[in-house]
Amino acid sequence: WHKHGWRKEIKDIQIGSGITRLGRQLFEGCRGLKEVCVPGNVTETEWGVFDNCTGLKKIIFEEGFKKMTTGKALQNCTSLEEVRFPYTTTNITPNSFANAGTQAEEMKIYCYTGSKANTDLEVAKTESTWPVNGTIVILDELTGSFLDQSNQEFTFSYQVTTNILSIDGEGNMNLNYSSGTGPYTMLPWH
């Protein structure tokens, strides 16, 4: 897509379940992107992966994502209004947001209280590349839902600060995580 000029026309990306890393400048210049969801099987992004995606307004990294390494991952994403990092994030390079969100009224960056992402973002705020309109929003509750082996849906809420897990649903909840046999489907945390 880089060599053939398609990147400016790309409106959506769907990342397969076998992809674990998004390489250097992979989606650079994909100006038609508005929202991206990076699934939890992707654990790392490299330098400039979304550089110059000027139309990008929202990016969500799902539970399982770990590292935004080597910097400038969201550089020049001038329309960026929202970024969400899961609790599993262990590294965010301080200059990841260089010139990001400059055309947005406000850019909110979500992370969980007590997470490594929270610590890294506080360091990033001290950098000259931190967006002037950038705000860190601290979340203290993980919520989501899952389907058990009989396709019964259950919801859950985990309070990070108190370590209390609440589960709700109907029927006999059976995940069989210990054997890894499933089948179960974990729907995205939010």
Side-chain angles (χ1 to χ4, degrees):
W1 57 92
H2 281 269
K3 290 184 179 184
H4 300 289
W6 302 339
R7 63 182 167 197
K8 293 178 184 175
E9 308 303 321
I10 294 173
K11 304 269 188 244
D12 187 24
I13 55 173
Q14 297 175 0
I15 301 166
S17 61
I19 307 295
T20 58
R21 183 182 203 155
L22 300 180
R24 184 180 178 104
Q25 297 175 301
L26 186 62
F27 302 113
E28 176 190 21
C30 291
R31 296 178 179 161
L33 290 175
K34 301 288 183 221
E35 187 172 321
V36 172
C37 180
V38 178
N41 50 280
V42 174
T43 59
E44 186 173 351
T45 62
E46 291 185 3
W47 190 87
V49 66
F50 292 103
D51 183 13
N52 209 28
C53 292
T54 55
L56 187 60
K57 292 180 180 279
K58 180 178 182 179
I59 185 163
I60 298 171
F61 295 91
E62 289 186 349
E63 197 68 24
F65 178 77
K66 293 182 178 155
K67 299 178 183 179
M68 185 176 280
T69 58
T70 65
K72 301 186 179 181
L74 300 168
Q75 175 177 264
N76 298 318
C77 293
T78 54
S79 299
L80 200 57
E81 297 172 350
E82 182 177 336
V83 181
R84 290 187 177 262
F85 289 104
Y87 196 80
T88 53
T89 304
T90 59
N91 182 280
I92 301 171
T93 305
N95 64 355
S96 295
F97 305 99
N99 200 35
T102 56
Q103 294 178 1
E105 187 174 316
E106 183 177 23
M107 186 173 103
K108 292 182 179 180
I109 304 168
Y110 294 83
C111 65
Y112 289 94
T113 186
S115 68
K116 182 68 169 78
N118 183 198
T119 304
D120 286 354
L121 289 170
E122 290 297 337
V123 170
K125 267 177 67 171
T126 66
E127 297 285 319
S128 62
T129 56
W130 182 259
V132 173
N133 60 349
T135 303
I136 299 172
V137 179
I138 306 297
L139 305 171
D140 64 0
E141 180 181 29
L142 305 171
T143 60
S145 60
F146 58 89
L147 303 175
D148 74 357
Q149 291 176 329
S150 61
N151 223 19
Q152 183 73 25
E153 185 171 8
F154 291 86
T155 59
F156 62 89
S157 169
Y158 177 69
Q159 297 290 327
V160 175
T161 54
T162 60
N163 295 318
I164 296 174
L165 175 66
S166 301
I167 302 171
D168 195 17
E170 292 186 25
N172 187 10
M173 187 173 73
N174 184 7
L175 290 180
N176 200 8
Y177 273 118
S178 61
S179 67
T181 59
Y184 51 83
T185 304
M186 191 69 152
L187 304 175
W189 294 53
H190 48 270

